Amino acid sequence: MDKRATIKDVAEAAGVGVATVSRVLSGGSASPATRERVLAVAAQLDYRPSALGRNLRQRRTGGMGLLVPDLTDTFYGQLSEGVLACARSAGEPVVLGSTGGDPEQEADLIGMLLEQSVDRLIAVPSGDAETWAPAIRAGMTVVFADRLPVQSSHEDVRAAAVADLMALDGLPHAPQTRALDVPAVVADDRAGIRTAVRYLRGLGHKRIAFLGGPGHDRRVAAFREAVGAPVDEELVVFGTGSRDSAYAAASGLFQSRPDLSAVVAGGNVLGEAAVLAARELDLRVPRDVSLVMYDDVPWAELCAPPLTVIAQPGRDMGYRAAELVLRAGTRKPRSVVLPTELIIRGSCGPHR
């Protein structure tokens, strides 16, 4: 029996990405040449997306999708546990996928979930609004967790991050145009980072660095705001998301700026990298450098000394996101902002 053509087959034959095929077939933007090529290949392969559209519009298939960047990351494991717990209580199966933080891989997984008629999805997004637009146009109910899709330019990232922070505080701000109107469950990054920086300032630290990674737009915006202008840009460093990249960023920071006295790591992978890099460079924590890590994970308390952390409720975040996606249909769910907490342990000390 011949296998039915999938959206990925169309993408490969047309020489484009899955996201491009989804845009063309759902009426989105594409160049005339690309549109003609995709439609011709779809016809040749006898790919019929209209059946999928009817499924999504007329019936719920049951079950939900969950996409996270890295299943080995402790925080995303906690978030996944929350989603699974809520889904279990509702008797719903969950299709779990790891995007690797790669927008192209994320687009492929979205396409496969659409092929399987999964009509509800919780995601920690890695791609931009264009990556997600096909799913929204196809009728999929989406709830973002932990962060929002990235903006299309560096300027958009900063502007949107600042607007998000001001909205969390209920302050007036210039509206930011977003291509997607999707509910999200996020932590109060602004309060968490601001509290950590104030704590370090109170210990006498002036040269405080920030280690960031993908999806940390709001956190770095909060850091810039907390340290105040002018911001020493050499003390704001980013990794690409992998452990090797995080370690390289931390090690490079310590070696290029021996005058820094404190570091705020934007996530647990970055915090782990900072601990390892400091150990390799014979930097003593907290005598030589104080360290605060975003995320409270089990190993943080087992370090010597135990790490001061900004704790966010990962499991609760996943549970609340699953509740939102399950309730969608009767009325549009509202976004949820969960509180953070600074847990003081032994990794921070007075500046000498």
Side-chain angles (χ1 to χ4, degrees), residues 165-317:
L165 294 175
M166 296 181 74
L168 290 178
D169 272 2
L171 300 175
H173 61 282
Q176 292 295 312
T177 300
R178 289 189 181 277
L180 300 177
D181 185 15
V182 175
V185 182
V186 298
D188 193 345
D189 291 334
R190 184 181 213 185
I193 296 292
R194 183 168 51 190
T195 301
V197 171
R198 285 178 176 174
Y199 171 63
L200 292 170
R201 291 283 198 205
L203 292 173
H205 296 280
K206 296 180 180 179
R207 286 180 292 277
I208 305 170
F210 182 85
L211 271 173
H216 292 169
D217 306 331
R218 293 197 315 275
R219 294 175 193 174
V220 72
F223 176 80
R224 292 176 186 277
E225 180 186 64
V227 297
V231 177
D232 187 341
E233 295 297 336
E234 289 185 351
L235 294 179
V236 181
V237 178
F238 289 90
T240 61
S242 70
R243 281 174 165 76
D244 288 344
S245 173
Y247 177 82
S251 181
L253 175 65
F254 287 140
Q255 293 180 74
S256 65
R257 290 299 299 266
D259 59 324
L260 69 82
S261 62
V263 175
V264 177
N268 67 81
V269 172
L270 293 154
E272 176 185 308
V275 170
L276 293 174
R279 185 180 302 164
E280 290 290 328
L281 296 170
D282 292 325
L283 294 174
R284 296 162 295 179
V285 177
R287 183 178 179 86
D288 298 324
V289 61
S290 290
L291 179 60
V292 178
M293 180 177 73
Y294 204 109
D295 286 343
D296 189 19
V297 293
W299 60 260
E301 203 167 2
L302 302 177
C303 285
L307 295 186
T308 294
V309 298
I310 303 165
Q312 61 171 335
R315 191 177 189 280
D316 191 27
M317 185 180 293

Side-chain angles (χ1 to χ4, degrees), residues 140-155:
M140 179 178 278
T141 299
V142 178
V143 172
F144 295 128
D146 182 50
R147 64 198 193 204
L148 301 173
V150 298
Q151 299 297 307
S152 58
S153 72
H154 184 66
E155 290 75 16

Side-chain angles (χ1 to χ4, degrees), residues 6-348:
T6 67
I7 194 170
K8 192 169 184 180
D9 296 330
V10 176
E12 290 177 353
V16 298
V18 170
T20 300
V21 175
S22 297
R23 283 199 305 275
V24 170
L25 297 181
S26 60
S29 61
S31 69
T34 299
R35 180 181 301 279
E36 183 178 348
R37 185 165 71 254
V38 168
L39 292 176
V41 169
Q44 182 181 358
L45 296 179
D46 196 25
Y47 176 72
R48 295 183 295 272
S50 57
L52 169 62
R54 287 195 299 270
N55 283 342
L56 289 174
R57 288 192 299 269
Q58 297 175 0
R59 66 181 176 87
R60 286 181 56 247
T61 60
M64 66 179 75
L66 170 60
L67 299 181
V68 297
D70 182 3
L71 287 171
T72 67
D73 185 307
T74 306
F75 171 72
Y76 295 131
Q78 294 171 347
L79 188 150
S80 299
E81 278 295 322
V83 171
L84 293 171
C86 183
R88 255 194 318 270
S89 67
E92 295 282 351
V94 177
V95 180
L96 179 60
S98 176
T99 66
D102 179 7
E104 284 295 323
Q105 188 169 330
E106 182 173 79
D108 287 347
L109 288 169
I110 293 170
M112 285 190 289
L113 291 172
L114 286 171
E115 282 288 329
Q116 295 169 20
S117 296
V118 173
D119 57 0
R120 288 163 294 165
L121 177 60
I122 299 160
V124 179
S126 297
D128 58 14
E130 193 171 320
T131 303
W132 285 93
I136 307 302
R137 284 195 295 264
M140 179 178 278
T141 299
V142 178
V143 172
F144 295 128
D146 182 50
R147 64 198 193 204
L148 301 173
V150 298
Q151 299 297 307
S152 58
S153 72
H154 184 66
E155 290 75 16
D156 289 341
V157 167
R158 286 201 180 187
V162 171
D164 288 343
L165 294 175
M166 296 181 74
L168 290 178
D169 272 2
L171 300 175
H173 61 282
Q176 292 295 312
T177 300
R178 289 189 181 277
L180 300 177
D181 185 15
V182 175
V185 182
V186 298
D188 193 345
D189 291 334
R190 184 181 213 185
I193 296 292
R194 183 168 51 190
T195 301
V197 171
R198 285 178 176 174
Y199 171 63
L200 292 170
R201 291 283 198 205
L203 292 173
H205 296 280
K206 296 180 180 179
R207 286 180 292 277
I208 305 170
F210 182 85
L211 271 173
H216 292 169
D217 306 331
R218 293 197 315 275
R219 294 175 193 174
V220 72
F223 176 80
R224 292 176 186 277
E225 180 186 64
V227 297
V231 177
D232 187 341
E233 295 297 336
E234 289 185 351
L235 294 179
V236 181
V237 178
F238 289 90
T240 61
S242 70
R243 281 174 165 76
D244 288 344
S245 173
Y247 177 82
S251 181
L253 175 65
F254 287 140
Q255 293 180 74
S256 65
R257 290 299 299 266
D259 59 324
L260 69 82
S261 62
V263 175
V264 177
N268 67 81
V269 172
L270 293 154
E272 176 185 308
V275 170
L276 293 174
R279 185 180 302 164
E280 290 290 328
L281 296 170
D282 292 325
L283 294 174
R284 296 162 295 179
V285 177
R287 183 178 179 86
D288 298 324
V289 61
S290 290
L291 179 60
V292 178
M293 180 177 73
Y294 204 109
D295 286 343
D296 189 19
V297 293
W299 60 260
E301 203 167 2
L302 302 177
C303 285
L307 295 186
T308 294
V309 298
I310 303 165
Q312 61 171 335
R315 191 177 189 280
D316 191 27
M317 185 180 293
Y319 198 98
R320 297 289 292 276
E323 284 183 326
L324 287 188
V325 84
L326 286 170
R327 290 174 183 170
T330 55
R331 60 180 182 179
K332 182 181 176 181
R334 299 179 60 184
S335 293
V336 176
V337 180
L338 300 176
T340 56
E341 178 188 4
L342 181 67
I343 300 177
I344 298 173
R345 297 184 180 129
S347 63
C348 297

